[in-house]
Amino acid sequence: MAGFVAVLMLGGWTLGAEPSPALLAAASGTAFAAVVLGQLANAFACRSETRPMGRRRWAGNPLLLWAVAVEAVLLVVFLGVPPLPGLLGGSFPPPAGWALAALAVPAVVGADALHKAIQDRERGRTGRRLVRPVRPVWPVWPVRPVWPVRPVWPVRGAAAPSPPGQAER
């Protein structure tokens, strides 16, 4: 919203005045671009619950890179290819609008890093996770095998099982 108001004010709008349709469309395009760029940053920031975005490899997930590239192309198409901007009520933002929209990226990354740092500090203080792990839905009851199962690994104090086909002595 700050980018929306800033583009309006940079375009000459004052409080109480009616903005021109072109200026309103440019401000709407800036707000839309800020949301999309923030979501692009969020896609990278949410790849780990504990490590900030800068501590992960960028190319670790090629499908994520493709998805981000497609989303960036769609952003430009939605804002710059007629008649889509008119149908969506926006237009291509001015350079100052793009700069303001790009500020959503460090805002999201910084908020995510701060959240993870606070969680890390709290986890270090208590020695446990703050978020309970998700319990699996299946199986709900304790599963016991129907057939007798022999351990695959050696058990202390137990005799080694005889090979299959040989009678036990």
Side-chain angles (χ1 to χ4, degrees), residues 3-96:
F4 181 85
V5 174
V7 168
L8 285 178
M9 294 180 85
L10 288 172
W13 175 78
T14 58
L15 191 60
E18 184 73 27
S20 69
L23 182 58
L24 195 57
S28 295
T30 299
F32 179 69
V35 169
V36 171
L37 293 175
Q39 286 301 315
L40 292 176
N42 193 36
F44 285 106
C46 290
R47 294 187 314 157
S48 170
E49 287 184 9
T50 57
R51 294 189 334 199
M53 188 174 97
R55 291 190 186 169
R56 302 232 4 154
R57 280 186 17 176
W58 286 91
N61 185 349
L63 292 177
L64 177 64
L65 297 177
W66 277 104
V68 166
V70 167
E71 189 173 359
V73 168
L74 285 175
L75 171 64
V76 173
V77 167
F78 288 155
L79 292 177
V81 176
L84 290 175
L87 293 173
L88 297 173
S91 70
F92 210 74

